[in-house]
């Protein structure tokens, strides 16, 4: 499958639009409580663009951010319709997580890992899909292996 670039997407009401100009690097599922509360589902599917390839093309004035007091991942959303668009962790600023449901078309990538499974919702079992699972952040496992 060939994915046409740029990839485009946006919020539910169309006020905020974005593009990704390079192929996505990876995609993941996050099972943390913040993602559950932010999305209302058991796991959040997110795609990670190459550094510098993601940009807001319109509606930046409509964007709002929630920054948790503990310095964890920021959650960016549309102030008009409330659509969750992307997240950014100040500890890993190169790793933006674009909510996969906000792409206009198939982004050409599938989640390849599940993280924060220690917090998985008890009402929706994690499927036996063969994906690697991390009890906490996959970044912690990368750092233990000397990677980033």
């Amino acid at each position: 499958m060939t994915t046409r670039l740029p990839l485009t997407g946006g919020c539910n009401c169309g006020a905020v639009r974005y593009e990704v100009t390079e192929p996505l690097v990876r995609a993941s599922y996050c099972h943390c409580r913040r993602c559950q509360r932010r999305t209302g589902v058991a796991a959040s599917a997110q795609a990670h663009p190459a550094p510098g390839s993601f940009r807001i093309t319109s509606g930046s004035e409509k964007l709002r951010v929630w920054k948790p007091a503990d310095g964890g991942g920021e959650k960016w959303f549309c102030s008009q319709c409330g659509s969750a668009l992307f997240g950014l962790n100040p500890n890993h600023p190169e790793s933006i997580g674009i909510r996969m449901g906000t792409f206009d078309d198939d982004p050409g990538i599938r989640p390849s890992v599940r993280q924060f499974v220690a917090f998985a919702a008890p009402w929706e079992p994690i499927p036996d899909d063969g994906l690697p699972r991390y009890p906490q952040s996959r970044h912690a496992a990368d750092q233990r292996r000397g990677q980033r």
Side-chain angles (χ1 to χ4, degrees):
M1 169 176 67
T2 303
T3 303
R4 252 172 55 227
L5 296 173
L7 294 168
T8 59
C11 65
N12 202 34
C13 71
V16 179
R17 300 289 302 156
Y18 66 79
E19 72 177 10
V20 178
T21 58
E22 295 179 35
L24 296 163
V25 175
R26 71 183 166 282
S28 60
Y29 289 111
C30 184
H31 294 267
C32 78
R33 292 293 292 148
R34 284 186 182 155
C35 282
Q36 290 170 17
R37 288 183 173 137
R38 178 185 43 76
T39 62
V41 299
S44 173
Q46 46 208 342
H48 306 279
S53 67
F54 171 79
R55 74 180 185 99
I56 301 299
T57 57
S58 66
S60 61
E61 72 282 358
K62 301 292 184 188
L63 277 173
R64 298 296 180 268
V65 63
W66 176 70
K67 296 182 181 184
D70 66 5
E74 301 173 354
K75 309 302 181 195
W76 290 81
F77 60 95
C78 173
S79 62
Q80 279 192 200
C81 66
S83 294
L85 295 165
F86 62 95
L88 174 66
N89 186 331
N91 298 318
H92 306 283
E94 74 288 351
S95 187
I96 295 170
I98 304 167
R99 308 308 166 213
M100 291 182 74
T102 66
F103 284 105
D104 291 333
D105 298 307
D106 184 348
I109 196 168
R110 304 294 179 261
S112 61
V113 66
R114 292 180 177 277
Q115 62 180 352
F116 292 99
V117 297
F119 305 95
W123 41 265
E124 186 173 323
I126 298 173
D128 186 15
D129 55 14
L131 297 180
R133 298 177 182 194
Y134 297 95
Q136 303 286 330
S137 169
R138 68 169 177 76
H139 291 291
D142 290 348
Q143 289 171 346
R144 282 193 301 273
R145 289 192 305 264
Q147 301 171 2
R148 242 184 168 258

